[in-house]
Amino acid sequence: MFKVTPWEVEGKIDYEKLIKQFGVRKIDEKLEKKIEKIAGKNYMLERKIFFTHRDLDKIVNDYENRKEIYLYTGRGPSGGTHLGHLLPWFFTKYLQDGFKSKLLFQITDDEKFLFKENLSFEDIGKYTKENMLDIIALGFDPKKTRIIIDTKNIKELYPLAIKIAKKITFSTVKAVFGFNNETNIGRIFFTSMQAAPAFLLSEEKNKKIRCLIPCGIDQDPHFRIARDVAEKLDYPKPALVHCKFLPSLQGEGKMSASQKDNTIYTSDSPEEVKRKIMNAFTGGRATIKEQREKGGEPEKCPVFAYYYFFFEKDNKKLEAIRRECKSGKRICGECKAELIERINSFLKEHQKKREKAKDKVKEFLEQ
Ligand code: TRP
């Protein structure tokens, strides 16, 4: 059993099943090569961390025909940024550099207010500021990147959101998101806010500009609706490229006492990182003796997943880790110790960049 909706991701996800359920397409080798030709190699493409799409081929064609395209992604500021959030943002940065394109980065503070029962608007404002620093720290080009905060930039978004909303019925959002008569009315409207940036540049420039949306596969339902609306409003359908989720440190489908221990936040101290990784679930055996004999199981191991998704980008070195694990040569303790070091050295740099980002926020916001 698993569940993937824009607001809940639970259980051990069967991505093959999800592809069928959502009706998305796998990124095949030919398409991968075309993107590599434009933007260079990327380990997330090679490893199928970014694995499915809608109309990504059309974006490539537009680019090859020198037609303008743009990127759009976003963040719902419901808490601190964790490492899993950074993956699609890194990928977006790679695409921005490669396609030399503009980027709209939406912060859906309205969404988190409407969908989280226990979060005040004030807290969300705090997370908005925090999350923006993480985004800016990744090095997006300020000349080509606009951060849009829904409740702050409502003037630009609202005229478009109502055009979109007019084309979406209650029965559609009921079917797509499982809403019912008890759902608050803000939630019912919200998908039109998330769709708006997908057409915003076309609207502003009065020209058809296709956008590409890198996002977690859980966000796809919003954009299925946006793509239907696009036709009705005569905008190009937004293209999508989807990624998988960084697994929970406690093992997939298992709940830990504290959700905070499932993941590493960008603000975590070296001690917190150490504690979380040392407590992580692994693909190891009950005893060292057994592990030496049978070897570990990297395919079930969140620690290995952290190397795979983030901390070992060299394919040969990653394969060596896998081999050593499976042969019983690599023991969980040393594997964890190495990961802790890598995470902490990444975070040390990231936290410095995050500090510097404080002076740059203005450059990214709408005037
Ligand atoms: N709804 C997303 C979230 O909860 C935030 C978001 C808004 C987004 N627009 C997006 C994510 C576009 C990806 C792409 O995090």
Side-chain angles (χ1 to χ4, degrees):
M1 267 294 285
F2 67 95
K3 195 169 176 186
V4 176
T5 77
W7 301 288
E8 258 180 307
V9 177
E10 258 177 42
K12 176 150 178 54
I13 298 157
D14 181 339
Y15 287 106
E16 290 298 325
K17 230 185 208 166
L18 212 53
I19 291 171
K20 291 210 184 83
Q21 271 175 18
F22 282 12
V24 294
R25 287 168 58 195
K26 288 189 185 174
I27 301 171
D28 62 20
E29 204 157 313
K30 207 172 126 209
L31 187 51
E32 187 184 326
K33 288 275 158 337
K34 282 190 172 178
I35 299 163
E36 282 180 353
K37 215 175 135 200
I38 298 166
K41 276 194 181 292
N42 183 284
Y43 79 99
M44 290 191 236
L45 270 180
E46 281 180 320
R47 292 183 192 169
K48 317 225 175 294
I49 295 169
F50 269 84
F51 70 124
T52 53
H53 75 104
R54 295 182 190 270
D55 286 347
L56 180 56
D57 42 331
K58 292 194 179 153
I59 290 285
V60 170
N61 284 346
D62 280 357
Y63 181 83
E64 286 171 347
N65 295 319
R66 299 180 194 287
K67 280 199 198 153
E68 184 177 358
I69 59 122
Y70 72 99
L71 294 161
Y72 156 41
T73 194
R75 159 78 182 142
S78 54
T81 303
H82 61 64
L83 295 181
H85 297 130
L86 299 183
L87 294 172
W89 303 351
F90 274 126
F91 193 73
T92 304
K93 159 93 169 96
Y94 152 79
L95 292 175
Q96 178 176 58
D97 293 346
F99 286 75
K100 299 173 195 63
S101 62
K102 292 198 173 125
L103 164 65
L104 297 185
F105 208 121
Q106 180 182 38
I107 312 256
T108 52
D109 56 346
D110 53 344
E111 175 190 17
K112 294 302 147 179
F113 182 70
L114 293 164
F115 284 86
K116 294 270 169 183
E117 291 305 335
N118 298 319
L119 217 48
S120 68
F121 193 61
E122 198 187 355
D123 284 340
I124 292 168
K126 212 176 65 198
Y127 292 132
T128 294
K129 287 202 179 114
E130 293 284 310
N131 293 172
M132 276 198 296
L133 299 179
D134 288 298
I135 293 162
I136 294 167
L138 299 198
F140 291 105
D141 179 350
K143 291 198 185 70
K144 294 206 178 90
T145 307
R146 265 162 77 181
I147 296 178
I148 307 171
I149 304 169
D150 282 357
T151 64
K152 298 262 179 347
N153 298 109
I154 191 63
K155 245 183 157 165
E156 290 100 275
L157 291 172
Y158 198 60
L160 195 47
I162 56 170
K163 287 185 193 173
I164 297 164
K166 201 171 181 177
K167 301 290 178 198
I168 305 173
T169 64
F170 184 32
S171 82
T172 295
V173 292
K174 272 205 256 189
V176 174
F177 301 116
F179 295 158
N180 58 40
N181 284 350
E182 268 51 68
T183 305
N184 77 53
I185 61 173
R187 293 186 183 187
I188 295 164
F189 177 76
F190 172 72
T191 196
S192 49
M193 289 296 291
Q194 185 152 329
F199 312 127
L200 190 61
L201 283 206
S202 294
E203 180 79 1
E204 285 177 352
K205 294 200 175 180
N206 199 14
K207 186 171 134 189
K208 291 187 181 185
I209 314 175
R210 197 184 300 278
C211 90
L212 170 61
I213 309 172
C215 61
I217 182 88
D218 60 319
Q219 297 298 311
D220 185 73
H222 283 298
F223 300 120
R224 285 202 296 266
I225 298 178
R227 283 166 57 83
D228 288 343
V229 171
E231 287 196 314
K232 297 178 185 154
L233 295 177
D234 204 26
Y235 295 118
K237 283 188 182 191
L240 294 155
V241 59
H242 312 96
C243 66
K244 298 177 182 167
F245 307 106
L246 180 67
S248 154
L249 286 173
Q250 300 303 317
E252 273 164 309
K254 294 202 186 88
M255 298 298 280
S256 82
S258 156
Q259 288 284 76
K260 289 205 154 85
D261 286 353
N262 286 339
T263 188
I264 306 284
Y265 290 88
T266 58
S267 56
D268 280 352
S269 67
E271 294 72 34
E272 278 168 311
V273 170
K274 185 170 180 191
R275 182 181 58 78
K276 289 182 186 180
I277 299 296
M278 289 319 283
N279 288 331
F281 177 77
T282 72
R285 306 287 176 179
T287 63
I288 291 190
K289 182 169 175 283
E290 196 187 341
Q291 185 148 349
R292 293 274 185 227
E293 282 164 19
K294 294 188 186 155
E297 297 177 287
E299 50 300 324
K300 312 188 172 164
C301 180
V303 173
F304 183 75
Y306 267 60
Y307 285 104
Y308 184 93
F309 277 77
F310 204 131
F311 291 99
E312 184 48 81
K313 296 187 176 104
D314 182 316
N315 289 331
K316 285 204 181 106
K317 290 185 185 158
L318 184 77
E319 279 322 300
I321 294 175
R322 193 201 301 272
R323 232 181 309 120
E324 284 171 18
C325 173
K326 289 182 91 155
S327 72
K329 191 173 164 211
R330 182 179 264 262
I331 295 298
C332 295
E334 55 198 48
C335 192
K336 283 179 163 178
E338 190 181 333
L339 182 64
I340 291 166
E341 215 166 278
R342 289 186 193 204
I343 296 175
N344 281 337
S345 90
F346 167 79
L347 285 184
K348 194 171 160 205
E349 282 311 303
H350 181 76
Q351 287 163 3
K352 271 192 222 158
K353 290 179 192 157
R354 214 172 167 281
E355 270 313 297
K356 288 197 186 132
K358 289 182 178 162
D359 300 328
K360 299 185 193 156
V361 177
K362 274 211 178 98
E363 295 174 57
F364 288 86
L365 294 177
E366 307 266 289
Q367 301 310 318

